[in-house]
Amino acid sequence: MYLYNPCLYPGCKKMAISAFDEDGELAEVPGYCLEHQKNLQEMREKLRAYIMTHDKIVGLSAPGLTVTDMDLSGKKFYGCNMQHCTFTNVNATELRIRMCMFDFSTMTDCNLIKCNMQFSSMAGTKLVHALFTGSDFIHNNFNGMTAYQCSFDDSDLYNTRFIKAVLINTSMMNCNMKKAVFYGSVRDGVSFKMSNTGEALFDRDKGGLMGDADGRLDDGLERKRDL
């Protein structure tokens, strides 16, 4: 896992960005957050270079990073901190993720087709026009996320949490939804066609595996679906 290094700037409570040694490799030393970098452009270039030149990335801490027009296809991320990041026009086909944090990040026009993510968190993320089709999302935390015009079609969502999520015009067709949890979620224009919604959890009050995909939202709003 990434080092829990607070920023060295007096009074700052943000997490520090990973530092690099003379060879461009990760160095386990104290540092500063993105806001308090002495040379922000140089740090961004080092982070980008490190990501692009490594197929396996372990323990990287880059909260607040902006990633634009990058191809991360086939890369492997283990124990990384990418919270509060902004991803735009990123292609990441067959990306592999384990024990990583993407909380409160934003993804726009991104492609994560055939992604394999386990034991990771995207809580509070905002997803716009993102593709996750054919992916394995197992034992993940998507609580409080917002997805607008996204696709999770043909994916395995086993035991992944979507509690308090807002899903708008988003497709989850032909997905494995066993033990997926949607308590308190808002679902407007969501398609679950050919997915096993009977094994997902939609209504906390029912207490069993019988979902309420065809009923009303937990907050009382009528859900619109196209089956």
Side-chain angles (χ1 to χ4, degrees):
M1 287 293 289
Y2 60 88
L3 291 177
Y4 187 80
N5 277 338
C7 178
L8 291 175
Y9 191 85
C12 182
K13 297 181 180 179
K14 295 181 179 179
M15 290 286 294
I17 299 291
S18 291
F20 299 90
D21 59 23
E22 295 180 354
D23 297 323
E25 299 298 322
L26 290 178
E28 296 184 357
V29 297
Y32 294 87
C33 69
L34 199 65
E35 179 182 352
H36 295 120
Q37 291 292 323
K38 296 179 180 178
N39 191 327
L40 181 57
Q41 184 59 31
E42 180 183 355
M43 174 54 65
R44 285 176 171 167
E45 291 175 356
K46 287 182 177 180
L47 285 168
R48 188 181 183 92
Y50 182 83
I51 293 173
M52 295 305 298
T53 56
H54 290 72
D55 292 331
K56 184 177 181 180
I57 300 165
V58 181
L60 177 68
S61 182
L65 182 67
T66 296
V67 180
T68 305
D69 299 326
M70 288 183 68
D71 191 343
L72 305 179
S73 297
K75 292 188 180 292
K76 302 174 178 66
F77 286 80
Y78 298 96
C80 296
N81 176 16
M82 306 295 289
Q83 298 181 78
H84 298 280
C85 288
T86 300
F87 301 89
T88 305
N89 195 30
V90 173
N91 180 43
T93 302
E94 297 185 349
L95 183 69
R96 187 179 181 88
I97 300 171
R98 294 291 185 276
M99 299 179 67
C100 292
M101 309 289 287
F102 292 87
D103 299 345
F104 305 104
S105 291
T106 300
M107 294 186 181
T108 305
D109 297 320
C110 292
N111 171 12
L112 281 77
I113 292 176
K114 296 183 180 179
C115 172
N116 189 305
M117 177 188 290
Q118 295 186 28
F119 306 109
S120 298
S121 179
M122 295 182 70
T125 57
K126 294 182 180 179
L127 311 177
V128 180
H129 304 153
L131 298 178
F132 299 94
T133 55
S135 296
D136 293 323
F137 291 109
I138 301 174
H139 306 297
N140 295 303
N141 172 17
F142 285 178
N143 293 342
M145 68 176 289
T146 299
Y148 176 71
Q149 292 187 349
C150 298
S151 174
F152 291 84
D153 292 350
D154 305 312
S155 295
D156 191 345
L157 306 178
Y158 177 78
N159 200 32
T160 288
R161 272 52 176 163
F162 295 88
I163 298 171
K164 297 293 185 180
V166 178
L167 309 175
I168 302 174
N169 297 337
T170 289
S171 181
M172 292 185 171
M173 296 174 58
N174 194 35
C175 291
N176 174 30
M177 303 185 68
K178 187 173 183 178
K179 294 188 177 180
V181 182
F182 293 84
Y183 294 154
S185 61
V186 173
R187 305 179 301 279
D188 187 352
V190 178
S191 175
F192 292 111
K193 187 176 182 179
M194 295 184 292
S195 296
N196 54 332
T197 55
E199 296 187 87
L201 295 162
F202 290 88
D203 191 341
R204 185 187 301 272
D205 295 332
K206 291 189 175 180
L209 292 178
M210 179 62 78
D212 189 25
D214 294 319
R216 291 177 173 272
L217 294 177
D218 296 341
D219 61 2
L221 295 176
E222 185 177 358
R223 190 166 70 84
K224 302 176 183 177
R225 292 176 51 229
D226 180 15
L227 294 180

